[in-house]
Amino acid sequence: MGSIDTEDFEVTEADIFGELCRKNFYTFVQEFWSAIIAEEPVWNWHIEYLCDELQKYVERVAQIKDKDGNIIKRREPKLSDLLINIPPGTTKSTICTVMLPAWAWTVDPTLRILTASYSQSLSTDHALKSRDIIRSDKYRLYFDELTIKTDQDNKTHYKNEHTGERYATSVGGTITGFHAHIIIVDDPLNAKEEASQAALETANTFMDTTLSTRKVDKAVTPTILVMQRLNENDPSGNWLSKKGKKLQHIKLPATDKGEIKPEH
């Protein structure tokens, strides 16, 4: 019987923590929080809940390969889109738009992810924070196979070495030649423009028309919309008014006292 080279089976602490983060998005958020935010978070129950729900969407659209490059899990048709109504100051952007894309690549580095917000500067800031995580020493230690291509490393559009991409745009902005496996829209409407009919129409048209043509596969690509409710006819209300639309709706009100408007 031949001898076994034990070095082939050496498992480091980084391997263990990396695998724990890869398997659980909430663990990833806890592990990489300090990479972008200096203050210690208050780990309220809603953070783990949102992480668990978001993980389901990524895992469904992910294509998984074994170490030899053989596909062992193909992309699955989405069950629904996801609407998260949550008040400001609840780490929604950090979880959904900053952390989630960085984690999604650890599950499937071929994912192409489109993110959008009401302004280009806000959307760019989210993309840069995600890139800070990916560039961090800890991320490179845990996931050394994931690096951003040096010839495609822009603030709003960067790629990894496995064909994965992140594209950040704004509501009303142009999206040329990019089709996504996952779409994340974070605050498509500026709170200062909640009563503006023009702003409402622009945001809803972007959600209904522009994004519908930016999917790799309409049956597979989920759209995740996360925002605070601002108007009965805001993008959340627009989605909720569509009969027959398959939608998971998570709503966390800012208060539990009295009537809440909008009611959804």
Side-chain angles (χ1 to χ4, degrees):
M1 181 180 293
S3 62
I4 298 176
D5 186 353
T6 56
E7 291 185 359
D8 291 341
F9 298 90
E10 182 180 356
V11 177
T12 67
E13 185 177 89
D15 293 330
I16 295 171
F17 278 102
E19 192 61 22
L20 289 172
C21 288
R22 197 191 310 269
K23 295 292 185 183
N24 187 271
F25 178 40
Y26 180 56
T27 300
F28 179 93
V29 170
Q30 291 176 300
E31 189 72 7
F32 285 91
W33 184 273
S34 61
I36 54 170
I37 300 176
E39 293 78 18
E40 281 292 321
V42 176
W43 295 109
N44 192 46
W45 65 268
H46 79 281
I47 297 178
E48 183 174 9
Y49 172 71
L50 289 179
C51 287
D52 289 347
E53 294 304 306
L54 290 164
Q55 178 167 340
K56 295 174 185 177
Y57 283 81
V58 172
E59 290 181 338
R60 191 164 187 87
V61 76
Q63 175 177 273
I64 309 298
K65 297 181 180 180
D66 62 21
K67 63 180 181 179
D68 297 318
N70 301 309
I71 297 175
I72 57 177
K73 187 258 177 198
R74 297 186 181 276
R75 307 192 196 284
E76 301 173 73
K78 65 180 180 180
L79 299 177
S80 68
D81 289 322
L82 175 61
L83 171 60
I84 302 174
N85 288 139
I86 188 170
T90 51
T91 71
K92 65 178 180 60
S93 294
T94 299
I95 296 169
C96 300
T97 319
V98 176
M99 292 281 193
L100 187 65
W103 174 76
W105 275 1
T106 73
V107 178
D108 177 4
T110 70
L111 287 172
R112 299 200 294 276
I113 303 169
L114 172 65
T115 58
S117 296
Y118 66 82
S119 75
Q120 185 61 60
S121 61
L122 180 60
S123 189
T124 300
D125 182 63
H126 293 154
L128 289 176
K129 287 180 178 177
S130 291
R131 192 176 67 173
D132 286 343
I133 293 173
I134 297 166
R135 284 178 169 178
S136 69
D137 291 340
K138 182 182 289 187
Y139 192 95
R140 289 184 294 175
L141 178 64
Y142 288 3
F143 316 108
D144 59 357
E145 76 282 5
L146 285 170
T147 55
I148 295 175
K149 296 184 67 174
T150 56
D151 62 346
Q152 186 61 65
D153 187 5
N154 301 316
K155 291 181 178 181
T156 59
H157 187 195
Y158 44 85
K159 302 179 181 180
N160 64 34
E161 298 287 351
H162 304 273
T163 72
E165 298 183 50
R166 165 73 177 272
Y167 190 97
T169 189
S170 61
V171 170
T174 57
I175 311 170
T176 304
F178 188 88
H179 295 84
H181 296 110
I182 300 173
I183 296 174
I184 303 169
V185 183
D186 185 348
D187 281 338
L189 184 66
N190 189 333
K192 296 179 180 179
E193 298 181 312
E194 61 178 300
S196 167
Q197 189 61 34
L200 287 167
E201 290 180 0
T202 297
N204 288 331
T205 298
F206 179 78
M207 295 293 301
D208 290 343
T209 305
T210 304
L211 293 184
S212 67
T213 65
R214 297 295 97 195
K215 301 176 181 181
V216 171
D217 185 337
K218 291 183 179 181
V220 173
T221 297
T223 300
I224 299 168
L225 171 58
V226 53
M227 64 178 293
Q228 60 173 315
R229 287 307 308 268
L230 296 169
N231 186 293
E232 295 285 354
N233 299 314
D234 64 15
S236 292
N238 180 48
W239 262 16
L240 291 166
S241 70
K242 296 183 182 299
K243 294 182 179 180
K245 180 175 178 60
K246 294 180 179 179
L247 185 65
Q248 179 186 1
H249 187 196
I250 297 173
K251 46 185 176 180
L252 301 177
T255 177
D256 61 359
K257 297 180 180 179
E259 294 186 3
I260 299 171
K261 293 293 184 179
E263 63 180 2
H264 296 291

